[in-house]
């Protein structure tokens, strides 16, 4: 088991996680999928704690994609209920540990109760600065990019921005993630090796880490292992090894 003492000081500033495998975890034990999600919520707590201990400043979690709306109503309802329950339960711990909650995605598509609770916790924790935990909810990267292009086009039409001045900074400022730095490390659990419409722009130079561990089984030591692996990589950002040294 990897201990945090084995890590060096090169801690990723921004970690993003595709928390996959809740359904399979439940099925393996003959339980309803919703129970898998409930245990997945415990995994969220574990990941936030581990990141706080290490000094990770941004953690972004794919909690519900635009495509997840197509799941059976019963499962969608259970996930929405779990979100409200978790937000209510965790607010005091977020305050105590100086954690800022943030959300990205089409939040207007969420049920009123979820949106209200979410916005309340975001507002209440907005001055916390130990770590920013961002929930991607009703989030899809293509939807985000379409919205970004629409918003910039309107500004061009109204002569607020000139087309040749559109650059990476302008695009970053129009994304849901406008207040977040680029992702350094993207983790996906459960053995699947794909991105599933998550942060396509923001992971341009992220290191990718895939593990077979199902999300409800993902413990602190699994996160330490992912970071140890990250620390063994050479991030060249298009340069040569020689240039870096
Ligand atoms: C993917 O597993 C997981 C989800 C679609 C939901 C993620 C939600 C949580 C971890 C819990 C709630 C979160 C918070 C922030 C309290 P899957 O259902 O696709 O698993 P499968 O691929 O094995 O079916």
């Amino acid at each position: 088991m990897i201990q945090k003492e084995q890590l060096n000081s090169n801690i990723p500033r921004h970690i993003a996680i595709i928390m996959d495998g809740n359904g399979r975890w439940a099925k393996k034990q003959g339980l309803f999928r919703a129970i898998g999600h409930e245990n997945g919520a415990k995994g969220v707590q574990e990941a936030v704690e581990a990141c706080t201990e290490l000094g990770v400043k941004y953690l972004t979690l794919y909690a519900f994609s635009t495509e997840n709306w197509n799941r059976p109503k019963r499962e969608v309802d259970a996930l929405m209920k779990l979100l409200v329950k978790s937000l209510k339960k965790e607010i005091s711990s977020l305050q105590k540990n100086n954690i800022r909650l943030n959300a990205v995605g089409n939040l207007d598509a969420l049920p009123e109760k979820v949106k209200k609770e979410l916005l309340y916790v975001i507002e209440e924790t907005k001055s916390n600065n130990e770590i920013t935990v961002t929930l991607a909810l009703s989030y899809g990267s293509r939807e985000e990019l379409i919205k970004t292009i629409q918003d910039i086009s309107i500004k061009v039409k109204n002569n607020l921005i000139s087309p040749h001045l559109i650059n990476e900074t302008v695009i970053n400022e129009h994304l849901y993630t406008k207040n977040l730095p680029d992702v350094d490390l993207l983790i996906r659990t459960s053995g699947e090796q794909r991105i599933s419409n998550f942060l396509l722009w923001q992971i341009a130079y992220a290191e990718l880490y895939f593990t077979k561990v199902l999300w409800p089984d993902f413990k602190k030591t699994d996160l330490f292992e992912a970071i140890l692996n990250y620390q063994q990589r050479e991030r060249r950002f298009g340069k040569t090894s020689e240039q870096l040294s």
Side-chain angles (χ1 to χ4, degrees), residues 52-67:
T52 313
E53 277 175 34
L54 294 174
V56 173
K57 295 310 279 180
Y58 299 89
L59 173 67
T60 301
L61 302 166
Y62 207 3
F64 194 87
S65 72
T66 43
E67 291 74 25

Side-chain angles (χ1 to χ4, degrees), residues 55-187:
V56 173
K57 295 310 279 180
Y58 299 89
L59 173 67
T60 301
L61 302 166
Y62 207 3
F64 194 87
S65 72
T66 43
E67 291 74 25
N68 286 152
W69 290 115
N70 299 322
R71 291 196 173 190
K73 185 176 178 310
R74 197 170 75 159
E75 183 169 344
V76 172
D77 289 348
L79 270 165
M80 293 300 141
K81 226 168 137 182
L82 176 62
L83 268 166
V84 175
K85 191 173 125 188
S86 305
L87 288 165
K88 282 189 196 291
K89 185 167 156 262
E90 296 303 330
I91 184 160
S92 57
S93 153
L94 295 175
Q95 297 293 38
K96 196 174 107 208
N97 295 295
N98 199 12
I99 298 167
R100 177 178 191 171
L101 190 81
N102 177 40
V104 292
N106 178 13
L107 305 185
D108 288 335
L110 296 170
E112 203 44 47
K113 218 170 156 185
V114 179
K115 192 177 158 190
K116 195 171 143 219
E117 198 60 40
L118 184 68
L119 295 182
Y120 173 72
V121 180
I122 290 174
E123 177 63 24
E124 288 293 302
T125 61
K126 70 175 183 210
S127 311
N128 295 347
N129 58 13
E130 189 64 36
I131 180 172
T132 298
V133 175
T134 300
L135 299 180
L137 286 168
S138 190
Y139 175 86
S141 205
R142 288 185 172 181
E143 192 264 343
E144 177 183 40
L145 290 170
I146 291 168
K147 190 187 155 300
T148 298
I149 293 165
Q150 287 173 341
D151 290 351
I152 296 175
S153 304
I154 292 168
K155 290 190 182 167
V156 168
K157 189 168 169 233
N158 293 331
N159 291 321
L160 294 169
I161 184 165
S162 160
H164 69 270
L165 291 181
I166 297 171
N167 57 18
E168 286 191 18
T169 309
V170 171
I171 292 181
N172 278 329
E173 282 167 355
H174 287 81
L175 295 168
Y176 289 131
T177 53
K178 55 178 169 285
N179 299 317
L180 305 177
D182 271 0
V183 175
D184 298 302
L185 171 63
L186 174 75
I187 299 172

Side-chain angles (χ1 to χ4, degrees), residues 19-45:
M19 311 180 288
D20 197 9
N22 294 350
R24 276 163 284 166
W25 182 92
K27 197 173 168 192
K28 247 174 50 179
Q29 308 179 56
L31 300 168
F32 288 119
R33 292 178 60 85
I35 310 284
H37 296 312
E38 276 177 31
N39 283 275
K42 290 183 197 156
V44 169
Q45 223 178 337

Side-chain angles (χ1 to χ4, degrees), residues 2 4 11 32 47 60 90 109 144 179 191 207 219 230 240:
I2 310 283
K4 70 173 173 205
I11 298 296
F32 288 119
T60 301
E90 296 303 330
E144 177 183 40
N179 299 317
E207 296 296 327
K219 303 293 169 214
Y230 166 88
T240 65

